[in-house]
Amino acid sequence: MDRDGSGAKETVALSTKVEEEFIAPLTAIRGSLEILRDFDDLSREERTRFLDTALRGCVRLEKAVAGLAESVYDAGGETGHTRSASELSQEDYREYASRVHILDDLDVIEIDFSNFVFKSSKTVNDFHDVIDGLIATTGRHWYFVVNYKDCRIWPEAWVAFAHRGKKINVTHSLGTVRYVEREADETKVTDEPLSASYDPNLFDSRDAAFARIAELKQTGR
């Protein structure tokens, strides 16, 4: 043990950080979902309140994972990335490349993650290798619009996904906006826009996402 007790203090600090950033939101999510599962007689207001709690917990977890990935990125750490885009099968390369749309006149690269499942860090790295390669051919920076409609990211892929997204933002991005396109008859969890409740750069439609990009251009952010 360190004589000055610094080792014990660091352990306590790390434990507190894990509790605040990971365990607390996970507990809130699980508790809310268990109540929604076990009680069928909840009012609409009660159901909305527990759904809001679960969604806020998800946002906290996403930010915590992104922070973890950022620390790995800043430290020059690796995420198990061992393959290059050239080693992908032609079928996989074509699929990933078809989801990257370069809109020169708008200074935007639109990335389509809709209906895609990131099952592992390898899947994340393969897809992002293609994205990186296509961006590199342009030799410039871009605004990014990302479609997350029905995108699934498995737990074992989260750190790599956050890490590679951070790398793209640091290296190539002038600003990034995400959206989840809703069907015409799809109801919202709350009466407020999702972007207002949880994430200022997550919108309910492609049009809203591009409107946000226009705002970013005007403010120079």
Side-chain angles (χ1 to χ4, degrees), residues 181-200:
E181 192 79 50
R182 294 181 181 276
E183 302 297 334
D185 60 348
E186 188 175 355
T187 58
K188 297 181 181 180
V189 174
T190 69
D191 292 332
E192 297 182 59
L194 185 61
S195 58
S197 300
Y198 305 107
D199 187 332

PDB file of all heavy atoms in Angstrom, residues 181-200:
ATOM      1  N   GLU A 181     -35.720   8.859 -37.686  1.00  0.00           N
ATOM      2  CA  GLU A 181     -36.926   9.183 -38.451  1.00  0.00           C
ATOM      3  C   GLU A 181     -38.115   8.425 -37.882  1.00  0.00           C
ATOM      4  O   GLU A 181     -38.066   7.200 -37.704  1.00  0.00           O
ATOM      5  CB  GLU A 181     -36.731   8.826 -39.913  1.00  0.00           C
ATOM      6  CG  GLU A 181     -37.803   9.372 -40.830  1.00  0.00           C
ATOM      7  CD  GLU A 181     -37.583  10.848 -41.154  1.00  0.00           C
ATOM      8  OE1 GLU A 181     -36.462  11.210 -41.541  1.00  0.00           O
ATOM      9  OE2 GLU A 181     -38.543  11.624 -41.013  1.00  0.00           O
ATOM     10  N   ARG A 182     -39.191   9.158 -37.603  1.00  0.00           N
ATOM     11  CA  ARG A 182     -40.399   8.537 -37.064  1.00  0.00           C
ATOM     12  C   ARG A 182     -41.426   8.314 -38.176  1.00  0.00           C
ATOM     13  O   ARG A 182     -41.539   9.108 -39.102  1.00  0.00           O
ATOM     14  CB  ARG A 182     -41.019   9.417 -35.974  1.00  0.00           C
ATOM     15  CG  ARG A 182     -40.140   9.556 -34.738  1.00  0.00           C
ATOM     16  CD  ARG A 182     -40.843  10.416 -33.702  1.00  0.00           C
ATOM     17  NE  ARG A 182     -40.008  10.576 -32.520  1.00  0.00           N
ATOM     18  CZ  ARG A 182     -39.955   9.704 -31.523  1.00  0.00           C
ATOM     19  NH1 ARG A 182     -40.680   8.602 -31.578  1.00  0.00           N
ATOM     20  NH2 ARG A 182     -39.179   9.925 -30.474  1.00  0.00           N
ATOM     21  N   GLU A 183     -42.184   7.220 -38.033  1.00  0.00           N
ATOM     22  CA  GLU A 183     -43.281   6.989 -38.959  1.00  0.00           C
ATOM     23  C   GLU A 183     -44.393   7.987 -38.665  1.00  0.00           C
ATOM     24  O   GLU A 183     -44.482   8.551 -37.571  1.00  0.00           O
ATOM     25  CB  GLU A 183     -43.816   5.558 -38.812  1.00  0.00           C
ATOM     26  CG  GLU A 183     -42.775   4.475 -39.039  1.00  0.00           C
ATOM     27  CD  GLU A 183     -42.208   4.480 -40.438  1.00  0.00           C
ATOM     28  OE1 GLU A 183     -42.916   4.953 -41.348  1.00  0.00           O
ATOM     29  OE2 GLU A 183     -41.073   4.010 -40.625  1.00  0.00           O
ATOM     30  N   ALA A 184     -45.269   8.196 -39.650  1.00  0.00           N
ATOM     31  CA  ALA A 184     -46.322   9.190 -39.492  1.00  0.00           C
ATOM     32  C   ALA A 184     -47.233   8.888 -38.316  1.00  0.00           C
ATOM     33  O   ALA A 184     -47.709   9.793 -37.630  1.00  0.00           O
ATOM     34  CB  ALA A 184     -47.135   9.273 -40.793  1.00  0.00           C
ATOM     35  N   ASP A 185     -47.477   7.593 -38.044  1.00  0.00           N
ATOM     36  CA  ASP A 185     -48.397   7.218 -36.971  1.00  0.00           C
ATOM     37  C   ASP A 185     -47.673   6.806 -35.700  1.00  0.00           C
ATOM     38  O   ASP A 185     -48.284   6.288 -34.767  1.00  0.00           O
ATOM     39  CB  ASP A 185     -49.305   6.073 -37.428  1.00  0.00           C
ATOM     40  CG  ASP A 185     -48.511   4.828 -37.827  1.00  0.00           C
ATOM     41  OD1 ASP A 185     -47.276   4.935 -37.955  1.00  0.00           O
ATOM     42  OD2 ASP A 185     -49.133   3.772 -38.012  1.00  0.00           O
ATOM     43  N   GLU A 186     -46.370   7.035 -35.647  1.00  0.00           N
ATOM     44  CA  GLU A 186     -45.590   6.633 -34.478  1.00  0.00           C
ATOM     45  C   GLU A 186     -45.721   7.699 -33.394  1.00  0.00           C
ATOM     46  O   GLU A 186     -45.512   8.884 -33.626  1.00  0.00           O
ATOM     47  CB  GLU A 186     -44.119   6.464 -34.856  1.00  0.00           C
ATOM     48  CG  GLU A 186     -43.265   5.866 -33.748  1.00  0.00           C
ATOM     49  CD  GLU A 186     -41.843   5.610 -34.224  1.00  0.00           C
ATOM     50  OE1 GLU A 186     -41.582   5.809 -35.419  1.00  0.00           O
ATOM     51  OE2 GLU A 186     -41.009   5.209 -33.394  1.00  0.00           O
ATOM     52  N   THR A 187     -46.063   7.266 -32.177  1.00  0.00           N
ATOM     53  CA  THR A 187     -46.252   8.201 -31.079  1.00  0.00           C
ATOM     54  C   THR A 187     -44.939   8.478 -30.377  1.00  0.00           C
ATOM     55  O   THR A 187     -44.031   7.649 -30.378  1.00  0.00           O
ATOM     56  CB  THR A 187     -47.245   7.645 -30.053  1.00  0.00           C
ATOM     57  OG1 THR A 187     -46.756   6.385 -29.571  1.00  0.00           O
ATOM     58  CG2 THR A 187     -48.612   7.441 -30.684  1.00  0.00           C
ATOM     59  N   LYS A 188     -44.848   9.645 -29.782  1.00  0.00           N
ATOM     60  CA  LYS A 188     -43.670  10.018 -29.027  1.00  0.00           C
ATOM     61  C   LYS A 188     -43.838   9.605 -27.572  1.00  0.00           C
ATOM     62  O   LYS A 188     -44.943   9.475 -27.069  1.00  0.00           O
ATOM     63  CB  LYS A 188     -43.445  11.535 -29.103  1.00  0.00           C
ATOM     64  CG  LYS A 188     -43.160  12.055 -30.503  1.00  0.00           C
ATOM     65  CD  LYS A 188     -42.936  13.551 -30.465  1.00  0.00           C
ATOM     66  CE  LYS A 188     -42.667  14.103 -31.855  1.00  0.00           C
ATOM     67  NZ  LYS A 188     -42.456  15.560 -31.837  1.00  0.00           N
ATOM     68  N   VAL A 189     -42.732   9.428 -26.892  1.00  0.00           N
ATOM     69  CA  VAL A 189     -42.783   9.097 -25.478  1.00  0.00           C
ATOM     70  C   VAL A 189     -43.335  10.268 -24.682  1.00  0.00           C
ATOM     71  O   VAL A 189     -44.086  10.110 -23.747  1.00  0.00           O
ATOM     72  CB  VAL A 189     -41.371   8.724 -24.971  1.00  0.00           C
ATOM     73  CG1 VAL A 189     -41.379   8.514 -23.467  1.00  0.00           C
ATOM     74  CG2 VAL A 189     -40.881   7.466 -25.663  1.00  0.00           C
ATOM     75  N   THR A 190     -42.946  11.462 -25.035  1.00  0.00           N
ATOM     76  CA  THR A 190     -43.447  12.662 -24.381  1.00  0.00           C
ATOM     77  C   THR A 190     -43.951  13.622 -25.442  1.00  0.00           C
ATOM     78  O   THR A 190     -43.770  13.412 -26.634  1.00  0.00           O
ATOM     79  CB  THR A 190     -42.341  13.357 -23.563  1.00  0.00           C
ATOM     80  OG1 THR A 190     -41.393  13.909 -24.475  1.00  0.00           O
ATOM     81  CG2 THR A 190     -41.638  12.390 -22.643  1.00  0.00           C
ATOM     82  N   ASP A 191     -44.614  14.681 -24.987  1.00  0.00           N
ATOM     83  CA  ASP A 191     -45.102  15.695 -25.918  1.00  0.00           C
ATOM     84  C   ASP A 191     -43.993  16.616 -26.391  1.00  0.00           C
ATOM     85  O   ASP A 191     -44.158  17.347 -27.352  1.00  0.00           O
ATOM     86  CB  ASP A 191     -46.199  16.531 -25.251  1.00  0.00           C
ATOM     87  CG  ASP A 191     -47.459  15.706 -24.993  1.00  0.00           C
ATOM     88  OD1 ASP A 191     -47.688  14.754 -25.759  1.00  0.00           O
ATOM     89  OD2 ASP A 191     -48.178  16.005 -24.032  1.00  0.00           O
ATOM     90  N   GLU A 192     -42.848  16.619 -25.716  1.00  0.00           N
ATOM     91  CA  GLU A 192     -41.726  17.442 -26.129  1.00  0.00           C
ATOM     92  C   GLU A 192     -40.917  16.724 -27.196  1.00  0.00           C
ATOM     93  O   GLU A 192     -40.890  15.496 -27.241  1.00  0.00           O
ATOM     94  CB  GLU A 192     -40.806  17.725 -24.944  1.00  0.00           C
ATOM     95  CG  GLU A 192     -41.442  18.513 -23.826  1.00  0.00           C
ATOM     96  CD  GLU A 192     -40.430  18.786 -22.732  1.00  0.00           C
ATOM     97  OE1 GLU A 192     -39.409  19.420 -23.026  1.00  0.00           O
ATOM     98  OE2 GLU A 192     -40.666  18.350 -21.606  1.00  0.00           O
ATOM     99  N   PRO A 193     -40.239  17.460 -28.071  1.00  0.00           N
ATOM    100  CA  PRO A 193     -39.326  16.814 -29.022  1.00  0.00           C
ATOM    101  C   PRO A 193     -38.257  16.048 -28.280  1.00  0.00           C
ATOM    102  O   PRO A 193     -37.796  16.462 -27.218  1.00  0.00           O
ATOM    103  CB  PRO A 193     -38.722  18.003 -29.787  1.00  0.00           C
ATOM    104  CG  PRO A 193     -39.675  19.135 -29.573  1.00  0.00           C
ATOM    105  CD  PRO A 193     -40.264  18.912 -28.209  1.00  0.00           C
ATOM    106  N   LEU A 194     -37.862  14.915 -28.833  1.00  0.00           N
ATOM    107  CA  LEU A 194     -36.827  14.112 -28.201  1.00  0.00           C
ATOM    108  C   LEU A 194     -35.565  14.925 -27.989  1.00  0.00           C
ATOM    109  O   LEU A 194     -34.889  14.814 -26.974  1.00  0.00           O
ATOM    110  CB  LEU A 194     -36.511  12.884 -29.069  1.00  0.00           C
ATOM    111  CG  LEU A 194     -35.540  11.871 -28.498  1.00  0.00           C
ATOM    112  CD1 LEU A 194     -36.074  11.273 -27.208  1.00  0.00           C
ATOM    113  CD2 LEU A 194     -35.264  10.770 -29.512  1.00  0.00           C
ATOM    114  N   SER A 195     -35.259  15.790 -28.963  1.00  0.00           N
ATOM    115  CA  SER A 195     -34.042  16.584 -28.853  1.00  0.00           C
ATOM    116  C   SER A 195     -34.082  17.524 -27.655  1.00  0.00           C
ATOM    117  O   SER A 195     -33.068  17.772 -27.018  1.00  0.00           O
ATOM    118  CB  SER A 195     -33.826  17.392 -30.140  1.00  0.00           C
ATOM    119  OG  SER A 195     -34.934  18.228 -30.379  1.00  0.00           O
ATOM    120  N   ALA A 196     -35.254  18.042 -27.349  1.00  0.00           N
ATOM    121  CA  ALA A 196     -35.355  18.971 -26.236  1.00  0.00           C
ATOM    122  C   ALA A 196     -35.247  18.257 -24.896  1.00  0.00           C
ATOM    123  O   ALA A 196     -34.779  18.822 -23.913  1.00  0.00           O
ATOM    124  CB  ALA A 196     -36.684  19.724 -26.311  1.00  0.00           C
ATOM    125  N   SER A 197     -35.691  16.998 -24.842  1.00  0.00           N
ATOM    126  CA  SER A 197     -35.723  16.281 -23.579  1.00  0.00           C
ATOM    127  C   SER A 197     -34.405  15.623 -23.243  1.00  0.00           C
ATOM    128  O   SER A 197     -34.042  15.523 -22.070  1.00  0.00           O
ATOM    129  CB  SER A 197     -36.822  15.204 -23.627  1.00  0.00           C
ATOM    130  OG  SER A 197     -38.080  15.790 -23.853  1.00  0.00           O
ATOM    131  N   TYR A 198     -33.660  15.145 -24.254  1.00  0.00           N
ATOM    132  CA  TYR A 198     -32.541  14.282 -23.955  1.00  0.00           C
ATOM    133  C   TYR A 198     -31.235  14.684 -24.619  1.00  0.00           C
ATOM    134  O   TYR A 198     -30.194  14.698 -24.001  1.00  0.00           O
ATOM    135  CB  TYR A 198     -32.890  12.834 -24.351  1.00  0.00           C
ATOM    136  CG  TYR A 198     -34.169  12.367 -23.704  1.00  0.00           C
ATOM    137  CD1 TYR A 198     -35.326  12.219 -24.454  1.00  0.00           C
ATOM    138  CD2 TYR A 198     -34.213  12.106 -22.349  1.00  0.00           C
ATOM    139  CE1 TYR A 198     -36.505  11.811 -23.855  1.00  0.00           C
ATOM    140  CE2 TYR A 198     -35.395  11.705 -21.746  1.00  0.00           C
ATOM    141  CZ  TYR A 198     -36.537  11.551 -22.503  1.00  0.00           C
ATOM    142  OH  TYR A 198     -37.683  11.160 -21.908  1.00  0.00           O
ATOM    143  N   ASP A 199     -31.249  14.996 -25.878  1.00  0.00           N
ATOM    144  CA  ASP A 199     -30.003  15.248 -26.593  1.00  0.00           C
ATOM    145  C   ASP A 199     -30.238  16.388 -27.573  1.00  0.00           C
ATOM    146  O   ASP A 199     -31.066  16.274 -28.477  1.00  0.00           O
ATOM    147  CB  ASP A 199     -29.577  13.973 -27.341  1.00  0.00           C
ATOM    148  CG  ASP A 199     -28.204  14.103 -27.973  1.00  0.00           C
ATOM    149  OD1 ASP A 199     -27.815  15.234 -28.315  1.00  0.00           O
ATOM    150  OD2 ASP A 199     -27.518  13.085 -28.130  1.00  0.00           O
ATOM    151  N   PRO A 200     -29.507  17.497 -27.433  1.00  0.00           N
ATOM    152  CA  PRO A 200     -29.761  18.646 -28.293  1.00  0.00           C
ATOM    153  C   PRO A 200     -29.432  18.419 -29.757  1.00  0.00           C
ATOM    154  O   PRO A 200     -29.837  19.215 -30.605  1.00  0.00           O
ATOM    155  CB  PRO A 200     -28.849  19.733 -27.694  1.00  0.00           C
ATOM    156  CG  PRO A 200     -27.777  18.981 -26.986  1.00  0.00           C
ATOM    157  CD  PRO A 200     -28.442  17.749 -26.457  1.00  0.00           C
TER     158      PRO A 200
END
